[in-house]
Amino acid sequence: VAGVTSTVGFKATGGDGKGISINGVVINQRNDTVVRFQTLKFGMGSFAFTPEAGSTYKAVVRLGRTDALIRYLPPVATKGYAMHLTTANQPELKISARGTTEPLYIFIHSGHQVMLAQSVVSDANGNASITIDKAKLGKGINHITLFNGAKQPVSERLIFNRPDMMTL
């Protein structure tokens, strides 16, 4: 979404399905480098990216010393939703909605149990922040889904809540 910083995650695999090391850049239509990235471990990595309205982007990935792979990124949307989850002490969910003023709803579930369901109040810029109480999350994987005013899912994130260690 234009003007919204998002985390882009990726995984690079070889023909055998195992992770490989790569590095690359994202460039815009003027061939300016806007971000550099590389794998960290097992062929996985991530980078922060803030697309500009009206711009186009492509990723240029180096595979070894001589081979390169070029792929165009999806078009930049002027309307849409983005969620960013930080999990330092208490998890915080930052929501950005652009091009809409409709009500939003957040729904968190673990397994078949609803952990949280609430409406989201955005500021004048379409941003909202929700602190999530870890004690109210299920143990293991929790699904966070953002719904628009028509009750359609528009964005999703996962959060892992480490189970307590059992004593034997």
Side-chain angles (χ1 to χ4, degrees), residues 55-136:
S55 292
T56 59
Y57 299 94
K58 60 185 171 185
V60 181
V61 179
R62 291 276 175 216
L63 306 168
R65 294 189 180 272
T66 57
D67 294 331
L69 178 68
I70 300 172
R71 291 290 184 262
Y72 283 89
L73 300 182
V76 177
T78 55
K79 295 180 181 182
Y81 310 88
M83 288 196 306
H84 181 75
L85 180 66
T86 57
T87 58
N89 292 327
Q90 285 290 7
E92 184 179 15
L93 184 66
K94 294 181 181 180
I95 300 167
S96 300
R98 298 297 185 264
T100 182
T101 57
E102 66 186 348
L104 299 173
Y105 307 93
I106 199 78
F107 180 80
I108 302 176
H109 71 93
S110 178
H112 297 287
Q113 186 175 2
V114 176
M115 309 314 287
L116 174 74
Q118 73 178 55
S119 61
V120 176
V121 179
S122 301
D123 65 15
N125 296 319
N127 298 319
S129 181
I130 298 170
T131 300
I132 301 169
D133 183 357
K134 272 186 171 179
K136 293 183 179 177

Side-chain angles (χ1 to χ4, degrees), residues 16-29:
D16 59 1
K18 293 183 180 180
I20 59 172
S21 294
I22 62 156
N23 62 61
V25 294
V26 174
I27 59 175
N28 63 17
Q29 69 277 7

